[in-house]
Amino acid sequence: MPGWVVGMSIFATYVSSISYLGYPGKAFSGDWNAFVFSLSIPIASYFAARYFVPFYRSQDSISAYSFLENRFGPWARIYASSCYLLTQIARTGSILYLLALPMNVLLGWHIQTIIVVTSVAIVLYSMLGGMKAVIWTEAIQGIILIGGALVCMFILLFDMPGGPVQTFSIAMEDGKFSLGSFGSSLSESTFWVCLIYGIFTNLQNYGIDQSYVQRYHTAKNEKEAKFSALFGGYLFIPVSAVFFMIGTGLYAFYKVHPGILPDGVGADYVFPFFIVNELPVGLTGLLIASIFAAGMSTIATSVTSSSTIILTDYYQRFRKHAGNRERMLVLKLSSVGVGVAGILVAFAFMSVQSALDAWWALASIFSGGMLGLFLLGYISKKARNFDAVLGVVCGVILVCWIVISPFVHANLAIVFGTLLIFLVGFLSANLLNKRRCK
């Protein structure tokens, strides 16, 4: 497939309703601290184009985790793929929940009903069209979501009595453009915590996330695949800035027009409330379509990539000679299973205060530091099964401690888990192996 189409698909996969509603919500209630996450993407995109794309295109398997089995055995592949599946189910649930918010405000439907109907629709078209349909629809959805976000941002800026200057003036006075504290605290979402978290998370996304690896294989050649990784990553930076600008614009708008926003409206609900109550009818439809385009593209990716992993990493392990019809049935049933699990997680998200914060914490925890295992196998040629097991055990214990400990921010679970797995495995391979040889 053409590199720009694959790149738009990668971009649309990255931009979900978490971005479309969560980012404006964070900027409305706080500042631009979460935008630091976007600034880390160029690092991951560069490494993807330079190292990951050629590596995966040289592999025989479509699974991102077959390499780990070749290096350390079946347990490593199962560990990484199970972490991936948990992450995708959490992502699907958070997006389904956020998709339901504007429809709940607009039509008054129960959030649970919207979640179920949306999930069924996405799973159905993902099953019918497969990967090719998902990539092309995501490319189109990416264009729609960018257009909708730009339209809304300009309306917010020019609808102010004093124009865009008034928005920027209010935001500057109230510190809404702050990127966070530059302090050294590890228990708060400082600039450095957000940046380091972003670097590790995006390296994991571009390096070992099946959603991305699967796309590297669909480009018609290696050059196009590299372009898609860079294009999809770099495009996210200005678009995410638009989302944060929308949140800042909402803050300024409701400060200038007090009393319009009802008391008790949560941060994630402010943007849907504005769309429904302040935009003209046609634009309301465009923005809701944009939000659904953002969410549907990511969920469809999660469904197709998760079902692929269930087939290649689990089912075919026991049914190596399964025929095409049998494999297709497994893919379809797996898609339904992921959709149902996502619905249950979405129901749980109804009780959280910030969907973005909850998703970031879950993504950091469920990743289990599997990036460290991949880097250990990729960088250290001496590392063997024992070294990897030792590193993963230490890493998982550390991640569990971070989850229950108030001393370190939950987003840093992926950072410390990755580092500990790699360092323990690397030191074990280079020090303990020498002692064994002696």
Side-chain angles (χ1 to χ4, degrees):
M1 302 185 73
W4 73 268
V5 175
V6 179
M8 280 299 296
S9 174
I10 290 175
F11 162 77
T13 295
Y14 212 104
V15 178
S16 64
S17 49
I18 298 174
S19 309
Y20 223 109
L21 298 178
Y23 284 0
K26 289 291 288 184
F28 175 84
S29 62
D31 50 33
W32 281 45
N33 172 242
F35 180 66
V36 178
F37 178 88
S38 303
L39 299 179
S40 67
I41 292 180
I43 299 173
S45 296
Y46 169 78
F47 277 96
R50 181 73 174 83
Y51 301 105
F52 299 144
V53 169
F55 172 76
Y56 282 114
R57 286 183 67 90
S58 67
Q59 301 291 301
D60 294 330
S61 174
I62 193 69
S63 171
Y65 312 112
S66 59
F67 164 72
L68 294 176
E69 181 172 7
N70 295 334
R71 285 290 282 113
F72 303 123
W75 73 268
R77 184 174 184 174
I78 297 300
Y79 165 73
S81 60
S82 61
C83 289
Y84 172 78
L85 290 173
L86 287 172
T87 304
Q88 294 309 305
I89 291 171
R91 174 184 284 175
T92 299
S94 61
I95 294 169
L96 284 171
Y97 162 69
L98 286 170
L99 282 179
L101 297 187
M103 297 302 290
N104 170 257
V105 175
L106 177 64
L107 301 173
W109 296 351
H110 292 297
I111 290 180
Q112 295 94 325
T113 302
I114 302 171
I115 288 171
V116 172
V117 172
T118 304
S119 179
V120 170
I122 296 172
V123 168
L124 279 176
Y125 87 73
S126 301
M127 284 168 38
L128 292 172
M131 195 66 189
K132 188 173 183 179
V134 168
I135 289 180
W136 273 105
T137 52
E138 284 177 346
I140 298 169
Q141 288 164 338
I143 296 171
I144 294 172
L145 68 90
I146 292 173
L150 286 171
V151 168
C152 191
M153 182 185 72
F154 285 123
I155 288 177
L156 268 169
L157 291 175
F158 288 94
D159 203 33
M160 294 286 285
V165 175
Q166 186 177 17
T167 298
F168 283 93
S169 176
I170 292 173
M172 292 293 291
E173 288 177 6
D174 294 350
K176 303 299 286 186
F177 289 122
S178 171
L179 296 178
S181 167
F182 286 86
S184 58
S185 173
L186 296 179
S187 60
E188 302 173 6
S189 183
T190 64
F191 176 91
W192 302 114
V193 166
C194 204
L195 180 65
I196 295 171
Y197 167 73
I199 291 173
F200 277 76
T201 297
N202 287 312
L203 280 175
Q204 179 168 295
N205 287 336
Y206 280 91
I208 57 174
D209 191 308
Q210 180 68 22
S211 307
Y212 294 76
V213 173
Q214 207 158 318
R215 277 156 179 72
Y216 300 156
H217 286 283
T218 63
K220 57 186 177 182
N221 55 50
E222 187 174 305
K223 182 179 179 181
E224 293 286 307
K226 289 181 177 180
F227 172 79
S228 69
L230 293 171
F231 178 76
Y234 290 163
L235 182 60
F236 182 77
I237 300 173
V239 174
S240 64
V242 171
F243 292 138
F244 280 97
M245 193 64 238
I246 289 173
T248 302
L250 289 169
Y251 173 83
F253 179 84
Y254 286 116
K255 185 171 184 179
V256 171
H257 301 91
I260 297 180
L261 185 68
D263 294 334
V265 175
D268 291 333
Y269 284 82
V270 174
F271 191 22
F273 182 86
F274 176 84
I275 291 171
V276 172
N277 293 280
E278 302 296 337
L279 293 182
V281 173
L283 289 178
T284 299
L286 172 64
L287 262 295
I288 291 177
S290 299
I291 293 171
F292 267 79
M296 291 169 71
S297 60
T298 307
I299 295 174
T301 296
S302 294
V303 169
T304 53
S305 59
S306 296
S307 60
T308 299
I309 287 298
I310 292 172
L311 173 66
T312 59
D313 289 31
Y314 294 89
Y315 189 80
Q316 287 187 323
R317 181 173 300 280
F318 305 101
R319 291 278 296 172
K320 294 182 179 180
H321 303 293
N324 287 337
R325 181 175 295 181
E326 183 179 344
R327 292 202 299 269
M328 284 300 297
L329 178 61
V330 172
L331 286 171
K332 291 179 178 180
L333 291 176
S334 300
S335 298
V336 173
V338 172
V340 171
I343 289 172
L344 297 177
V345 174
F347 289 168
F349 260 80
M350 293 173 63
S351 61
V352 304
Q353 192 168 20
S354 170
L356 181 63
D357 288 341
W359 155 241
W360 277 7
L362 287 174
S364 183
I365 294 166
F366 286 154
S367 68
M370 58 180 178
L371 176 61
L373 182 61
F374 175 84
L375 293 176
L376 178 65
Y378 185 78
I379 295 174
S380 177
K381 305 304 180 185
K382 295 181 180 180
R384 294 296 178 261
N385 184 46
F386 173 82
D387 310 311
V389 171
L390 183 62
V392 167
V393 170
C394 293
V396 170
I397 291 173
L398 179 62
V399 168
C400 293
W401 179 81
I402 290 175
V403 171
I404 62 176
S405 167
F407 302 109
V408 180
H409 199 283
N411 289 358
L412 292 178
I414 184 176
V415 178
F416 290 115
T418 296
L419 291 175
L420 190 63
I421 289 174
F422 176 78
L423 290 175
V424 169
F426 185 83
L427 292 175
S428 173
N430 287 273
L431 297 179
L432 295 183
N433 283 346
K434 284 184 179 180
R435 291 185 178 180
R436 292 192 202 111
C437 292
K438 291 180 180 178

